[in-house]
Amino acid sequence: MVEVKLHDIGEGMTEGEIIHYLVKVGDTVKVDQPLVEVQTDKMVAELPSPAAGKVKDIMVDCGKTVSVGTTLIVLMGEERDERVVEATPVSQSPSTSVSVKPQAEAPVKGARKTIIAAPYTRKIAREFGVDINEITGTGPVGRITVKDIYDFVKERDQKAAPAVEKENVPQDPTPAPNAHQEKEPVAQHDVIPFRGRRKQIAKKMTQSLYTIPHVTHFEEVDLTELLSYRTNLKTMDIHLSAVAFFIKALTVSLKQFPVFNAKLDEDNEVIRLEKEYNIGIATDTEDGLIVPVIHRADQLSIRELHTKLKDLTKRAKEGALTVADLRGGTFTISNVGPLGSVGATPIINHPETALVAFHKTKKMPVVMENDEIAVRSMMNMSMSFDHRVADGGTAVAFTNRFKQLMENPLLWPVELI
């Protein structure tokens, strides 16, 4: 026998939710064939088969959250030897995902169209008994979204309602004694399953908030000169996002204030100053918040940071990130300005020490040093930090350094070379 167990894929993973089995009892499988989809706190992963053989038993039902080391599937190996194998999950991308319909569903006639949908979206479809092949996606390149599933279910239920009401109407209805009185309306509500990534995000945020004494420092930054600099670059066909400049300025500032690029080790009573500057990018996706990481950001040029940022954001939204893309973060940023945010008190990405959020940039009248009033492009930023590790004065000095770099692009050649 071969016992396929859930294995820790890194970052201290302790449990995962069983999303969907890609095989059933009696199926013959090959080595590395995907067996089951598992939702961790950061991604959906597939467990590949460690051996060839036949599925003898499935030990855990879909929807269950299990600990690392739990046996999920028992295989009857070709060699009939008894052993235990921990299956290592691999990151799942839309291009390699396998969509298997439940056994009870009738097969679809003819060739199927290509379906683009995140694993979480497919799971929602299965929970509502929806054949995802019948849905037309409204997302980019025809991608099916969770909203598409809900809209489909709503339309389906509305069509079914008249037929049900007609069947339930008696042939000779007799009014009830109080039939003239209106019935009390029944409350209706939609339901979003609280599991998978949403549940894992909740656990991590709760852990961070109740473990770390958060302090949030606010600052405003004048981006007028930087935006003008970017405009000049565009005339030379050089297009760089403002966030790429933010990341570069942060790495310079972190080297001067390394306490914010650190992790507190309470067990050994030390603050570990990280030698690498790995910047996590909080990214809002269809399946929830995810934080891909730009590794060794201090060693990349602004152009390279822009390219890396664009690539990670794209793959995060497509569900195509790898485990390596999510590991090793030392400092996190959240760029919520494009959404219209004015301010926030962000929760730190535990076990890191700090997180900076960049908010909306808008033109405002500002009193300059010569007491003249000028229209400037001002951005709010908020920085949450662990007060066990750093103090308010250090946080102010850190954001002042960042602000100095952002407001004076002429300093960049001096600081970055």
Side-chain angles (χ1 to χ4, degrees), residues 256-316:
Q256 292 184 237
F257 299 90
V259 72
F260 295 114
N261 197 61
K263 295 176 182 177
L264 175 61
D265 184 347
E266 291 187 88
D267 293 336
N268 295 297
E269 298 183 335
V270 294
I271 298 172
R272 302 190 184 281
L273 304 180
E274 301 289 345
K275 296 298 183 182
E276 292 186 357
Y277 296 85
N278 302 330
I279 308 300
I281 312 297
T283 305
D284 185 28
T285 72
E286 180 183 316
D287 298 337
L289 184 68
I290 196 167
V291 186
V293 178
I294 298 179
H295 295 89
R296 299 179 180 85
D298 61 312
Q299 300 178 20
L300 301 177
S301 67
I302 296 175
R303 190 194 297 266
E304 290 170 332
L305 286 171
H306 170 80
T307 301
K308 189 68 174 177
L309 178 68
K310 187 176 180 181
D311 172 64
L312 284 175
T313 302
K314 179 176 181 292
R315 290 195 287 119

Side-chain angles (χ1 to χ4, degrees), residues 164-386:
V164 173
E165 291 176 1
K166 185 176 181 179
E167 291 177 1
N168 293 335
V169 173
Q171 296 297 323
D172 186 18
T174 302
N178 297 324
H180 63 282
Q181 298 179 359
E182 294 185 0
K183 292 183 178 180
E184 183 178 347
V186 179
Q188 297 182 352
H189 57 268
D190 293 329
V191 174
I192 300 176
F194 184 62
R195 57 174 74 123
R197 183 178 295 171
R198 182 76 269 154
K199 185 175 180 180
Q200 295 299 332
I201 291 173
K203 286 183 178 180
K204 188 159 187 178
M205 293 298 99
T206 301
Q207 177 195 23
S208 176
L209 196 59
Y210 282 91
T211 301
I212 300 173
H214 283 59
V215 174
T216 304
H217 164 61
F218 298 92
E219 184 58 271
E220 58 181 11
V221 183
D222 187 346
L223 296 184
T224 306
E225 301 302 328
L226 175 64
L227 296 180
S228 176
Y229 179 54
R230 288 181 63 228
T231 300
N232 290 334
L233 289 177
K234 289 179 182 179
T235 63
M236 296 181 282
D237 201 27
I238 300 175
H239 301 271
L240 301 173
S241 67
V243 181
F245 288 90
F246 297 166
I247 295 172
K248 178 54 72 173
L250 282 172
T251 60
V252 173
S253 304
L254 286 172
K255 287 187 175 182
Q256 292 184 237
F257 299 90
V259 72
F260 295 114
N261 197 61
K263 295 176 182 177
L264 175 61
D265 184 347
E266 291 187 88
D267 293 336
N268 295 297
E269 298 183 335
V270 294
I271 298 172
R272 302 190 184 281
L273 304 180
E274 301 289 345
K275 296 298 183 182
E276 292 186 357
Y277 296 85
N278 302 330
I279 308 300
I281 312 297
T283 305
D284 185 28
T285 72
E286 180 183 316
D287 298 337
L289 184 68
I290 196 167
V291 186
V293 178
I294 298 179
H295 295 89
R296 299 179 180 85
D298 61 312
Q299 300 178 20
L300 301 177
S301 67
I302 296 175
R303 190 194 297 266
E304 290 170 332
L305 286 171
H306 170 80
T307 301
K308 189 68 174 177
L309 178 68
K310 187 176 180 181
D311 172 64
L312 284 175
T313 302
K314 179 176 181 292
R315 290 195 287 119
K317 293 184 179 298
E318 293 176 349
L321 293 172
T322 66
V323 175
D325 293 326
L326 300 166
R327 286 179 174 171
T330 61
F331 187 94
T332 298
I333 69 170
S334 176
N335 182 37
V336 290
L339 302 177
S341 171
V342 175
T345 54
I347 298 177
I348 298 167
N349 188 18
H350 183 274
E352 297 171 13
T353 295
L355 180 150
V356 168
F358 302 109
H359 305 285
K360 183 179 180 179
T361 300
K362 59 181 179 179
K363 292 184 177 181
M364 298 177 60
V366 177
V367 179
M368 307 300 288
E369 291 185 359
N370 58 4
D371 290 339
E372 291 184 356
I373 296 177
V375 176
R376 310 290 288 181
S377 297
M378 305 299 295
M379 177 189 73
N380 291 340
M381 64 177 288
S382 54
M383 175 184 176
S384 291
F385 64 93
D386 187 340

